[in-house]
Amino acid sequence: MPELPDLTIVAEALYASLAGRSIAKAETLAPLAVRGTPAELAALVGQRVDRIARRGKFLVLHLERDQVVFNPMLTGRFQLAAPKEKLPPKTALVLGFGGRTSGRGGRPSGGPADAARWTRGAAWMPADDASVEVRYRDPTQMGKVYLVPAGVDRPVPGFGEGEQGPDADDPALTLEAWRDRIRRHPGELKNLLRNQAFVAGIGNAYSDEILHAARLLPFRKRSSLAPEEVDALYEATRTTLADAIEVLRERVPPTFEKQVRDFLAVHDKGGQPCPRCRTKITEIKPGGFITSYCRGCQR
Ligand SMILES: [Zn+2]
């Protein structure tokens, strides 16, 4: 499941690649995955990309007039490709983009000045005068794409104001704000971290990683934490996500549809030695979702 670090990379790469380009083609191959009418899809053509951003576990394409909100759920993935490249199986939506031009005079404008630094001059970046496609594919078709035309009040479940807390890496989420928010949630720590209303962007994999970094067991109750453990959980959340983003910037491009998880410390590493204390990592699967932790160094 794409989580905050995965989608941050995709958002940064797509923004750097597509800002200033206009949609030349919008085509759905799996209409059930797209919430919106054929007319709304067709109306995307001609609109220029203003911004592409991640919010929680959603990716939002801000066009000059409308928005497209992606909720990839478990298996939704994004591919950046030249139009001539073979379409991957289970592609649900193809958005084609023309060359990059400035709003005035149609001259090539280069990438956006506020693109993430790691994307500058990257070899995978499509040339400004080349056409490029974003293919959204989803083998399980559990994810959804929401077309949100200006002036249309289309609900996007889980995305609305009040449904998501601050992003887990939001600079406004200070230690003080964290201490305040966490007081409302007495339950188990793994569920707490995955609760998008507490903080947004963390799922099954990174909750395991954060808890290992904080040396806390996934089934500990928040109500049992000492104040310094609450603070340690905050610190672990920030560093785990930031470190993962750094790794993924190196490892993911140019195949943005690839989910890189092999560098994680405990998640899905059941039976292997803990990188901190060498105890064999415990893995259980409540409800079919893997939870991995170390009995040796998590309390
Ligand atoms: Zn350990």
Side-chain angles (χ1 to χ4, degrees):
M1 175 190 292
E3 300 184 29
L4 187 151
D6 311 297
L7 285 176
T8 297
I9 303 303
V10 172
E12 289 175 343
L14 294 186
Y15 177 62
S17 304
L18 303 176
R21 297 177 190 266
S22 296
I23 293 189
K25 173 174 112 171
E27 189 179 22
T28 175
L29 294 95
L32 288 178
V34 179
R35 293 281 184 270
T37 67
E40 289 168 350
L41 187 70
L44 300 180
V45 173
Q47 293 193 54
R48 206 175 56 241
V49 175
D50 273 350
R51 202 158 62 85
I52 298 175
R54 179 197 56 75
R55 170 74 174 108
K57 292 193 268 185
F58 297 82
L59 189 90
V60 188
L61 174 60
H62 299 264
L63 301 168
E64 57 186 305
R65 188 179 66 235
D66 302 338
Q67 290 184 18
V68 183
V69 180
F70 296 86
N71 180 5
M73 295 287 288
L74 286 179
T75 53
R77 301 285 186 271
F78 299 87
Q79 185 193 44
L80 183 67
K84 65 177 191 311
E85 283 181 54
K86 193 169 170 281
L87 210 58
K90 304 285 185 185
T91 297
L93 179 72
V94 178
L95 295 177
F97 298 84
R100 181 139 48 196
T101 53
S102 69
R104 290 179 292 277
R107 296 185 308 277
S109 63
D114 58 349
R117 189 169 303 173
W118 67 278
T119 63
R120 303 272 171 79
W124 48 263
M125 185 82 74
D128 280 347
D129 58 354
S131 295
V132 61
E133 284 184 0
V134 171
R135 287 95 172 254
Y136 170 76
R137 59 183 295 257
D138 188 354
T140 66
Q141 306 261 315
M142 288 173 73
K144 290 281 172 289
V145 183
Y146 299 87
L147 308 182
V148 189
V152 172
D153 187 20
R154 174 158 293 126
V156 179
F159 185 71
E161 279 306 312
E163 290 185 85
Q164 294 192 95
D167 277 312
D169 66 347
D170 188 335
L173 180 66
T174 60
L175 177 58
E176 288 68 32
W178 174 272
R179 288 170 178 159
D180 182 50
R181 295 188 69 79
I182 208 169
R183 257 187 265 138
R184 295 169 230 166
H185 302 276
E188 292 177 356
L189 296 178
K190 171 134 179 167
N191 289 340
L192 167 72
L193 290 174
R194 288 187 304 171
N195 180 352
Q196 305 301 299
F198 169 53
V199 293
I202 301 168
N204 202 42
Y206 284 97
S207 56
D208 282 352
E209 293 300 296
I210 290 165
L211 289 165
H212 181 259
R215 301 176 184 249
L216 295 167
L217 286 167
F219 306 111
R220 266 286 288 282
K221 293 266 177 58
R222 195 284 299 158
S223 53
S224 78
L225 295 187
E228 58 270 24
E229 290 177 316
V230 169
D231 293 2
L233 192 57
Y234 175 78
E235 196 52 44
T237 299
R238 301 294 237 186
T239 54
T240 300
L241 297 174
D243 291 352
I245 288 170
E246 284 304 316
V247 173
L248 295 178
R249 282 172 176 163
E250 292 288 324
R251 298 272 315 274
V252 170
T255 43
F256 296 99
E257 65 272 32
K258 186 174 68 182
Q259 187 159 273
V260 177
R261 291 276 162 89
D262 55 355
F263 67 97
L264 299 183
V266 285
H267 181 74
D268 207 8
K269 299 271 172 83
Q272 298 179 37
C274 167
R276 189 163 52 211
C277 76
R278 314 310 292 170
T279 303
K280 214 181 247 188
I281 292 165
T282 302
E283 187 152 295
I284 57 170
K285 268 189 157 183
F289 287 99
I290 289 172
T291 290
S292 321
Y293 58 99
C294 175
R295 293 176 191 276
C297 59
Q298 291 175 250
R299 298 276 182 268

